PDB file of all heavy atoms in Angstrom:
ATOM      1  N   MET A   1      85.790  12.962   6.714  1.00  0.00           N
ATOM      2  CA  MET A   1      85.515  12.022   5.644  1.00  0.00           C
ATOM      3  C   MET A   1      84.178  12.400   5.001  1.00  0.00           C
ATOM      4  O   MET A   1      83.274  12.867   5.680  1.00  0.00           O
ATOM      5  CB  MET A   1      85.462  10.602   6.219  1.00  0.00           C
ATOM      6  CG  MET A   1      85.334   9.529   5.154  1.00  0.00           C
ATOM      7  SD  MET A   1      85.424   7.837   5.812  1.00  0.00           S
ATOM      8  CE  MET A   1      87.116   7.792   6.360  1.00  0.00           C
ATOM      9  N   ARG A   2      84.071  12.169   3.689  1.00  0.00           N
ATOM     10  CA  ARG A   2      82.817  12.403   2.967  1.00  0.00           C
ATOM     11  C   ARG A   2      81.982  11.126   3.040  1.00  0.00           C
ATOM     12  O   ARG A   2      82.381  10.080   2.523  1.00  0.00           O
ATOM     13  CB  ARG A   2      83.086  12.773   1.509  1.00  0.00           C
ATOM     14  CG  ARG A   2      83.761  14.118   1.342  1.00  0.00           C
ATOM     15  CD  ARG A   2      83.962  14.512  -0.124  1.00  0.00           C
ATOM     16  NE  ARG A   2      84.238  13.425  -1.041  1.00  0.00           N
ATOM     17  CZ  ARG A   2      85.450  12.888  -1.262  1.00  0.00           C
ATOM     18  NH1 ARG A   2      86.507  13.338  -0.609  1.00  0.00           N
ATOM     19  NH2 ARG A   2      85.610  11.914  -2.135  1.00  0.00           N
ATOM     20  N   ILE A   3      80.821  11.239   3.683  1.00  0.00           N
ATOM     21  CA  ILE A   3      79.960  10.081   3.913  1.00  0.00           C
ATOM     22  C   ILE A   3      78.582  10.363   3.350  1.00  0.00           C
ATOM     23  O   ILE A   3      77.988  11.415   3.630  1.00  0.00           O
ATOM     24  CB  ILE A   3      79.849   9.781   5.422  1.00  0.00           C
ATOM     25  CG1 ILE A   3      81.239   9.522   6.012  1.00  0.00           C
ATOM     26  CG2 ILE A   3      78.914   8.608   5.669  1.00  0.00           C
ATOM     27  CD1 ILE A   3      81.278   9.506   7.519  1.00  0.00           C
ATOM     28  N   ALA A   4      78.068   9.439   2.550  1.00  0.00           N
ATOM     29  CA  ALA A   4      76.683   9.515   2.070  1.00  0.00           C
ATOM     30  C   ALA A   4      75.848   8.561   2.901  1.00  0.00           C
ATOM     31  O   ALA A   4      76.302   7.473   3.262  1.00  0.00           O
ATOM     32  CB  ALA A   4      76.602   9.139   0.592  1.00  0.00           C
ATOM     33  N   ALA A  52      76.739   7.689  -5.547  1.00  0.00           N
ATOM     34  CA  ALA A  52      77.582   8.643  -4.824  1.00  0.00           C
ATOM     35  C   ALA A  52      78.957   8.049  -4.527  1.00  0.00           C
ATOM     36  O   ALA A  52      79.976   8.756  -4.575  1.00  0.00           O
ATOM     37  CB  ALA A  52      76.895   9.085  -3.529  1.00  0.00           C
ATOM     38  N   LEU A  53      79.013   6.764  -4.231  1.00  0.00           N
ATOM     39  CA  LEU A  53      80.297   6.101  -4.023  1.00  0.00           C
ATOM     40  C   LEU A  53      81.068   5.992  -5.328  1.00  0.00           C
ATOM     41  O   LEU A  53      82.273   6.245  -5.377  1.00  0.00           O
ATOM     42  CB  LEU A  53      80.077   4.708  -3.425  1.00  0.00           C
ATOM     43  CG  LEU A  53      79.546   4.660  -2.002  1.00  0.00           C
ATOM     44  CD1 LEU A  53      79.069   3.261  -1.658  1.00  0.00           C
ATOM     45  CD2 LEU A  53      80.598   5.141  -1.015  1.00  0.00           C
ATOM     46  N   GLY A  56      82.542   9.370  -6.618  1.00  0.00           N
ATOM     47  CA  GLY A  56      83.463  10.046  -5.722  1.00  0.00           C
ATOM     48  C   GLY A  56      82.843  11.104  -4.832  1.00  0.00           C
ATOM     49  O   GLY A  56      83.549  11.738  -4.043  1.00  0.00           O
ATOM     50  N   THR A  57      81.541  11.296  -4.932  1.00  0.00           N
ATOM     51  CA  THR A  57      80.869  12.239  -4.038  1.00  0.00           C
ATOM     52  C   THR A  57      81.087  11.828  -2.588  1.00  0.00           C
ATOM     53  O   THR A  57      81.260  12.679  -1.713  1.00  0.00           O
ATOM     54  CB  THR A  57      79.353  12.289  -4.343  1.00  0.00           C
ATOM     55  OG1 THR A  57      79.175  12.715  -5.688  1.00  0.00           O
ATOM     56  CG2 THR A  57      78.622  13.222  -3.406  1.00  0.00           C
ATOM     57  N   ALA A  58      81.102  10.527  -2.338  1.00  0.00           N
ATOM     58  CA  ALA A  58      81.302   9.997  -0.984  1.00  0.00           C
ATOM     59  C   ALA A  58      82.439   8.983  -0.978  1.00  0.00           C
ATOM     60  O   ALA A  58      82.610   8.219  -1.933  1.00  0.00           O
ATOM     61  CB  ALA A  58      80.019   9.336  -0.485  1.00  0.00           C
ATOM     62  N   GLU A  59      83.187   8.991   0.116  1.00  0.00           N
ATOM     63  CA  GLU A  59      84.230   7.981   0.325  1.00  0.00           C
ATOM     64  C   GLU A  59      83.660   6.728   0.971  1.00  0.00           C
ATOM     65  O   GLU A  59      84.158   5.626   0.747  1.00  0.00           O
ATOM     66  CB  GLU A  59      85.319   8.546   1.233  1.00  0.00           C
ATOM     67  CG  GLU A  59      86.024   9.758   0.671  1.00  0.00           C
ATOM     68  CD  GLU A  59      86.838  10.453   1.746  1.00  0.00           C
ATOM     69  OE1 GLU A  59      88.016  10.051   1.918  1.00  0.00           O
ATOM     70  OE2 GLU A  59      86.301  11.360   2.402  1.00  0.00           O
ATOM     71  N   ARG A  60      82.631   6.908   1.801  1.00  0.00           N
ATOM     72  CA  ARG A  60      81.972   5.809   2.488  1.00  0.00           C
ATOM     73  C   ARG A  60      80.477   6.040   2.468  1.00  0.00           C
ATOM     74  O   ARG A  60      80.006   7.171   2.360  1.00  0.00           O
ATOM     75  CB  ARG A  60      82.414   5.710   3.954  1.00  0.00           C
ATOM     76  CG  ARG A  60      83.877   5.438   4.158  1.00  0.00           C
ATOM     77  CD  ARG A  60      84.251   3.976   3.910  1.00  0.00           C
ATOM     78  NE  ARG A  60      85.659   3.763   4.192  1.00  0.00           N
ATOM     79  CZ  ARG A  60      86.629   3.922   3.295  1.00  0.00           C
ATOM     80  NH1 ARG A  60      86.339   4.311   2.072  1.00  0.00           N
ATOM     81  NH2 ARG A  60      87.885   3.701   3.620  1.00  0.00           N
ATOM     82  N   GLY A  61      79.729   4.939   2.597  1.00  0.00           N
ATOM     83  CA  GLY A  61      78.282   5.032   2.583  1.00  0.00           C
ATOM     84  C   GLY A  61      77.646   4.258   3.722  1.00  0.00           C
ATOM     85  O   GLY A  61      78.194   3.248   4.185  1.00  0.00           O
ATOM     86  N   ARG A  96      85.589  -3.841   6.306  1.00  0.00           N
ATOM     87  CA  ARG A  96      86.631  -2.944   5.803  1.00  0.00           C
ATOM     88  C   ARG A  96      87.942  -3.688   5.629  1.00  0.00           C
ATOM     89  O   ARG A  96      88.570  -3.626   4.571  1.00  0.00           O
ATOM     90  CB  ARG A  96      86.845  -1.774   6.775  1.00  0.00           C
ATOM     91  CG  ARG A  96      85.821  -0.694   6.692  1.00  0.00           C
ATOM     92  CD  ARG A  96      85.923   0.174   5.438  1.00  0.00           C
ATOM     93  NE  ARG A  96      87.259   0.691   5.251  1.00  0.00           N
ATOM     94  CZ  ARG A  96      87.900   0.658   4.087  1.00  0.00           C
ATOM     95  NH1 ARG A  96      87.344   0.162   3.004  1.00  0.00           N
ATOM     96  NH2 ARG A  96      89.125   1.141   3.990  1.00  0.00           N
ATOM     97  N   ALA A 101      85.067  -2.952   2.027  1.00  0.00           N
ATOM     98  CA  ALA A 101      83.704  -2.430   1.866  1.00  0.00           C
ATOM     99  C   ALA A 101      83.754  -0.910   1.901  1.00  0.00           C
ATOM    100  O   ALA A 101      84.450  -0.321   2.730  1.00  0.00           O
ATOM    101  CB  ALA A 101      82.798  -2.958   2.975  1.00  0.00           C
ATOM    102  N   ASN A 102      83.005  -0.300   0.992  1.00  0.00           N
ATOM    103  CA  ASN A 102      82.922   1.155   1.019  1.00  0.00           C
ATOM    104  C   ASN A 102      81.565   1.608   1.553  1.00  0.00           C
ATOM    105  O   ASN A 102      81.289   2.806   1.620  1.00  0.00           O
ATOM    106  CB  ASN A 102      83.241   1.777  -0.339  1.00  0.00           C
ATOM    107  CG  ASN A 102      82.445   1.207  -1.489  1.00  0.00           C
ATOM    108  OD1 ASN A 102      81.509   0.438  -1.299  1.00  0.00           O
ATOM    109  ND2 ASN A 102      82.828   1.582  -2.704  1.00  0.00           N
ATOM    110  N   ALA A 103      80.736   0.650   1.939  1.00  0.00           N
ATOM    111  CA  ALA A 103      79.443   0.970   2.551  1.00  0.00           C
ATOM    112  C   ALA A 103      79.055  -0.142   3.519  1.00  0.00           C
ATOM    113  O   ALA A 103      79.466  -1.294   3.352  1.00  0.00           O
ATOM    114  CB  ALA A 103      78.370   1.129   1.486  1.00  0.00           C
ATOM    115  N   PHE A 123      83.562   0.751  11.398  1.00  0.00           N
ATOM    116  CA  PHE A 123      83.670   0.806   9.937  1.00  0.00           C
ATOM    117  C   PHE A 123      84.595   1.942   9.499  1.00  0.00           C
ATOM    118  O   PHE A 123      85.485   1.742   8.664  1.00  0.00           O
ATOM    119  CB  PHE A 123      82.265   0.977   9.351  1.00  0.00           C
ATOM    120  CG  PHE A 123      82.211   1.174   7.870  1.00  0.00           C
ATOM    121  CD1 PHE A 123      82.592   0.171   7.004  1.00  0.00           C
ATOM    122  CD2 PHE A 123      81.744   2.371   7.345  1.00  0.00           C
ATOM    123  CE1 PHE A 123      82.518   0.351   5.625  1.00  0.00           C
ATOM    124  CE2 PHE A 123      81.665   2.556   5.976  1.00  0.00           C
ATOM    125  CZ  PHE A 123      82.053   1.545   5.112  1.00  0.00           C
TER     126      PHE A 123
END
Side-chain angles (χ1 to χ4, degrees):
M1 186 175 293
R2 293 183 326 276
I3 302 168
L53 292 167
T57 300
E59 299 166 88
R60 298 283 183 271
R96 282 288 308 133
N102 52 9
F123 175 66

